[in-house]
């Protein structure tokens, strides 16, 4: 379970990391030597203005810093650490039970919904006890020309877990939660 969720986490983050790296490497490769030459009071290697050379080099450095920050965030709070936190909060549960529940759970979109627990690499806690879920509803967020759809799980402790899914998967997810009498499920 941990291995599969870790792979899903890195796969979803990998695209963002790749884009950030491309946006960092190209400007740094092309403009950084000229910026370093200008800093040493030598003529630039490119026939462009100083502001272009410094600005595009700075943009490359910023993108590289963003890429490093994303990478460090992924390494500092891995899936295994979040699962261990869940196990510490729920001493009656062990890893074998989590694995068994995960592999018997129904996968819909980015979520695995079992009889007792819900799993997703997009949730902060990765694992949520279904008994801790009070309400499930859909939330839609518009960004320019696209709309993102989220399944929101309101928990007894007052926190809300949001998991991004496709619009077509949300109705199936809500139907699975309707099987639990203690969970209030909002209509679409």
């Amino acid at each position: 379970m941990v291995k599969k969720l870790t792979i899903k986490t890195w796969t979803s983050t990998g695209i963002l990391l790749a884009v950030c790296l491309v946006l960092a490497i190209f400007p740094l490769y092309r403009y950084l030597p000229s910026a370093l030459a200008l800093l040493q009071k030598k003529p630039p290697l490119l026939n462009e203005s100083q502001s272009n050379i410094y600005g595009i080099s700075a943009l490359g450095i910023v993108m590289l810093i963003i890429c490093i920050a994303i990478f460090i965030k992924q390494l500092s709070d891995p899936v295994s650490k979040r699962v261990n936190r869940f196990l510490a909060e729920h001493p009656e549960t062990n890893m074998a039970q989590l694995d068994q529940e995960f592999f018997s759970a129904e996968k819909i979109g980015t979520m695995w919904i079992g009889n007792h627990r819900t799993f997703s690499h997009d949730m902060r806690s990765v694992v949520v006890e279904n008994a801790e879920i009070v309400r499930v509803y859909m939330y839609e967020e518009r960004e320019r020309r696209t709309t993102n759809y989220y399944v929101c799980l309101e928990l007894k402790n007052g926190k809300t877990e949001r998991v991004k899914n496709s619009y077509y998967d949300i109705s199936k997810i809500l139907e699975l939660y309707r099987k639990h009498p203690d969970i209030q499920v909002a209509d679409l």
Side-chain angles (χ1 to χ4, degrees):
M1 171 201 67
V2 172
K3 183 178 178 181
K4 191 168 193 165
L5 290 174
T6 301
I7 290 169
K8 290 283 186 184
T9 301
W10 280 102
T11 303
S12 64
T13 306
I15 295 168
L16 180 62
L17 281 171
V19 168
C20 286
L21 270 175
V22 167
L23 292 175
I25 291 173
F26 176 73
L28 290 176
Y29 176 76
R30 181 157 167 85
Y31 289 90
L32 191 61
S34 291
L36 293 174
L38 282 171
L39 288 173
Q40 296 172 357
K41 307 287 187 215
K42 296 179 183 175
L45 303 174
L46 294 174
N47 191 18
E48 291 196 32
S49 69
Q50 284 185 350
S51 60
N52 273 0
I53 292 172
Y54 285 138
I56 295 174
S57 294
L59 181 68
I61 290 170
V62 167
M63 292 308 296
L64 187 62
I65 290 170
I66 290 171
C67 187
I68 291 169
I70 292 169
F71 190 75
I72 288 172
K73 183 186 179 303
Q74 288 294 344
L75 288 178
S76 66
D77 195 23
V79 170
S80 60
K81 194 175 187 180
R82 291 184 272 170
V83 169
N84 287 337
R85 254 184 275 159
F86 175 84
L87 290 171
E89 293 170 3
H90 300 84
E92 71 282 358
T93 307
N94 61 36
M95 186 59 101
Q97 290 171 323
L98 286 180
D99 284 336
Q100 182 181 11
E101 176 95 23
F102 178 78
F103 290 113
S104 66
E106 187 170 343
K107 182 186 185 311
I108 301 174
T110 59
M111 298 174 76
W112 287 262
I113 303 168
N115 292 329
H116 306 290
R117 294 171 192 88
T118 299
F119 306 86
S120 178
H121 63 281
D122 284 343
M123 292 189 302
R124 287 173 291 186
S125 59
V126 178
V127 183
V128 172
E129 290 278 348
N130 290 345
E132 294 175 4
I133 300 172
V134 176
R135 182 172 170 242
V136 178
Y137 60 94
M138 181 194 81
Y139 173 74
E140 95 182 41
E141 187 175 79
R142 297 184 190 274
E143 291 181 1
R144 296 183 188 169
R145 296 180 191 156
T146 62
T147 303
N148 295 319
Y149 298 97
Y150 297 90
V151 173
C152 297
L153 309 174
E154 282 185 9
L155 306 177
K156 287 180 181 176
N157 62 10
K159 294 181 181 178
T160 301
E161 291 283 356
R162 283 183 4 162
V163 182
K164 188 175 179 181
N165 274 292
S166 79
Y167 180 76
Y168 304 105
D169 291 333
I170 290 177
S171 60
K172 296 174 196 170
I173 292 169
L174 295 179
E175 281 305 312
L176 278 177
Y177 283 114
R178 281 193 176 90
K179 294 177 184 177
H180 299 276
D182 296 339
I183 299 175
Q184 180 186 19
V185 180
D187 293 325
L188 285 177

